């Protein structure tokens, strides 16, 4: 088996990375991968980077992890906020803090970094806070409509794109709504994209990828993995689980209400919810919920279109959790 190198950062796994397809290809994860029972057979070695000079040693829930051009790690953690470590694991700074004053946030929904790695955007309910990455200084606050936005990625000239998983009333899919809204630097909505009529789960929406651009994971009712660059959204590749792909609107057709429908959706015999896409120089890695909600991780070689997969039973910790990737 071909060995894969990983770098572990104290409870955090990082895979090596950038690159990808030159055109939109279709990936068949179940037929192009072979199952493995022991992923250590795929790993040549691991390097551990201990976190130093910080009392923040425990991260209970990492919402997102970004890597800048200097190899610094930016962690958005539910308990500790936004923390920056350098590539050697030395604490650099905290960005923003919880509160209601200037440069403070009352909720931390998600973060993103501009493609030039100069600024960090923090999404909270009703606003986006901007900070300079090199020194952590607060830049400004941009007010946005109070809505059910789940994730953020950058757009040119200080703008940003927000994702809303479902309509305000999650049981009302009688009319189309737009999942993506692009805002300018003043918080004015200038474009809406991705009209939807299907239910989606608000996790793993945007992932930082090659050239500090972003992936948007496939949505329910769609098999396309999108790349977001320069504020534009375009297809990267298709994910096809073939006869084991979840049917359209399964959440609504399998039960009388959304809650029961989602339970049936997760426990169904299909593959669904492909999330946490990470693109490397040689590989694409992602996870998906399989039959009975078991988590399956796929890693596929860009050149050979072949790879491996491993399955973790429900409510069992995965042996490998990837939060970010870079060059």
């Amino acid at each position: 088996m071909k060995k894969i190198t990983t770098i572990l950062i104290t409870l955090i796994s990082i895979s090596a990375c950038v690159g990808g397809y030159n055109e939109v290809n279709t990936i068949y994860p179940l037929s192009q991968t072979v199952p493995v029972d022991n992923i250590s057979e795929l790993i040549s070695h691991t390097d551990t980077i201990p976190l130093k000079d910080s009392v923040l040693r425990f991260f209970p829930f990492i919402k997102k992890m970004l890597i800048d051009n200097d190899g610094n790690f930016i962690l958005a953690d539910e308990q500790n906020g936004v923390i920056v470590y350098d590539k050697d694991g030395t604490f650099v700074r905290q960005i923003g803090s919880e509160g209601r004053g200037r440069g403070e946030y009352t909720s931390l929904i998600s973060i993103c970094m501009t493609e030039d790695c100069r600024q960090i955007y923090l999404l909270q309910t009703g606003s986006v806070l901007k900070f300079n990455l090199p020194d952590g200084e607060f830049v400004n606050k941009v007010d946005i409509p109070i809505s059910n936005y789940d994730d953020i990625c950058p757009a040119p000239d200080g703008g940003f794109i927000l994702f809303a998983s479902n309509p305000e009333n999650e049981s009302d899919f009688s009319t189309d709504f737009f999942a993506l809204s692009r805002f300018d630097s003043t918080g004015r909505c200038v474009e809406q994209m991705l009209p939807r009529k299907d239910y989606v789960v608000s996790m793993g929406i945007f992932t930082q990828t090659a050239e500090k651009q972003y992936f948007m994971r496939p949505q329910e009712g769609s098999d396309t993995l999108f790349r977001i660059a320069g504020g534009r959204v375009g297809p990267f590749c298709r994910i096809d689980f073939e006869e084991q792909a979840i049917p359209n609107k399964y959440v609504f057709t399998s039960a009388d209400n959304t809650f029961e429908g989602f339970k049936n959706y997760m426990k169904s015999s299909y593959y669904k919810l492909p999330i946490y896409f990470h693109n490397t120089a040689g590989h694409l890695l992602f996870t998906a919920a399989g039959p009975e909600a078991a988590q399956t991780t796929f890693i596929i070689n860009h050149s050979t279109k072949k790879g491996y997969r491993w399955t973790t039973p429900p409510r069992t910790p995965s042996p490998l959790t990837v939060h970010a990737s870079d060059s």
Side-chain angles (χ1 to χ4, degrees):
M1 289 185 179
K2 187 174 180 179
K3 299 292 186 177
I4 301 166
T5 300
T6 65
I7 299 177
L8 304 180
I9 303 184
T10 314
L11 305 179
I12 306 162
S13 332
I14 313 292
S15 70
C17 120
V18 295
Y21 298 91
N22 294 321
E23 58 184 24
V24 177
N25 292 281
T26 299
I27 294 174
Y28 302 94
L30 296 177
S31 57
Q32 291 179 223
T33 62
V34 295
V36 294
D37 295 324
N38 184 357
I39 67 169
S40 64
E41 298 174 4
L42 304 178
I43 300 173
S44 61
H45 70 280
T46 62
D47 296 324
T48 299
I49 302 175
L51 301 181
K52 303 184 288 285
D53 303 328
S54 172
V55 296
L56 303 174
R57 304 273 180 163
F58 179 67
F59 296 90
F61 180 66
I62 298 173
K63 289 176 174 284
K64 186 164 288 189
M65 180 174 179
L66 307 174
I67 304 175
D68 69 11
N69 287 334
D70 296 322
N72 295 319
F73 305 102
I74 301 98
L75 307 180
D77 180 73
E78 193 170 70
Q79 176 174 296
N80 301 303
V82 182
I83 311 296
V84 181
Y85 291 92
D86 70 13
K87 59 185 177 182
D88 298 317
T90 301
F91 174 79
V92 177
R93 68 178 54 86
Q94 184 160 353
I95 295 181
S97 60
E98 192 169 357
R100 297 184 178 276
R102 185 178 184 273
E104 296 179 334
Y105 50 84
T106 56
S107 61
L108 177 57
I109 298 173
S110 188
I111 64 171
C112 70
M113 180 168 55
T114 54
E115 292 181 23
D116 61 8
C117 297
R118 299 296 299 174
Q119 290 191 338
I120 289 284
Y121 297 169
L122 276 63
L123 172 63
Q124 69 168 348
T125 302
S127 66
V128 171
L129 305 182
K130 297 183 179 182
F131 296 83
N132 287 328
L133 183 56
D135 57 16
E137 288 297 313
F138 175 65
V139 176
N140 69 317
K141 173 184 173 183
V142 181
D143 291 326
I144 57 175
I146 296 178
S147 187
N148 56 334
Y149 295 120
D150 303 295
D151 213 340
I152 182 171
C153 66
D157 302 320
F160 45 86
I161 295 174
L162 301 181
F163 185 98
S165 296
N166 300 298
E168 293 288 352
N169 180 354
E170 293 199 359
S171 63
D172 180 16
F173 282 78
S174 57
T175 57
D176 287 339
F177 73 100
F178 290 95
L180 288 176
S181 299
R182 184 167 66 90
F183 294 83
D184 65 14
S185 60
T186 68
R188 181 174 64 93
C189 183
V190 295
E191 184 179 10
Q192 289 189 301
M193 300 166 280
L194 193 63
R196 298 186 51 84
K197 271 193 171 181
D198 206 354
Y199 183 82
V200 66
V201 179
S202 60
M203 59 190 301
I205 303 296
F206 295 137
T207 304
Q208 183 193 49
T209 184
E211 294 86 36
K212 302 302 179 279
Q213 297 167 356
Y214 285 81
F215 276 158
M216 183 180 73
R217 70 170 174 83
Q219 306 301 303
E220 276 63 40
S222 169
D223 56 6
T224 303
L225 172 65
F226 294 93
R227 184 200 293 272
I228 301 178
R232 309 312 303 170
V233 181
F236 179 78
C237 69
R238 294 179 60 247
I239 309 294
D240 190 349
F241 288 108
E242 302 166 278
E243 69 274 4
Q244 287 187 263
I246 191 89
N248 236 9
K249 299 191 177 181
Y250 190 90
V251 167
F252 301 114
T253 58
S254 61
D256 294 331
N257 61 72
T258 305
F259 178 73
E260 289 297 324
F262 180 66
K263 287 201 304 182
N264 295 340
Y265 170 90
M266 291 301 294
K267 293 180 68 65
S268 69
S269 60
Y270 301 104
Y271 282 83
K272 57 275 181 185
L273 200 68
I275 55 177
Y276 305 129
F277 285 85
H278 298 281
N279 191 38
T280 78
H283 298 84
L284 180 70
L285 182 146
F286 64 94
T287 64
E292 295 299 317
Q295 175 180 304
T296 300
T297 301
F298 300 87
I299 183 164
I300 299 174
N301 185 288
H302 287 314
S303 299
T304 66
K305 306 298 188 293
K306 297 180 179 179
Y308 305 98
R309 68 181 185 269
W310 56 90
T311 300
T312 305
R315 297 177 296 278
T316 302
S318 173
L320 177 67
T321 300
V322 178
H323 287 282
S325 58
D326 73 354
S327 58

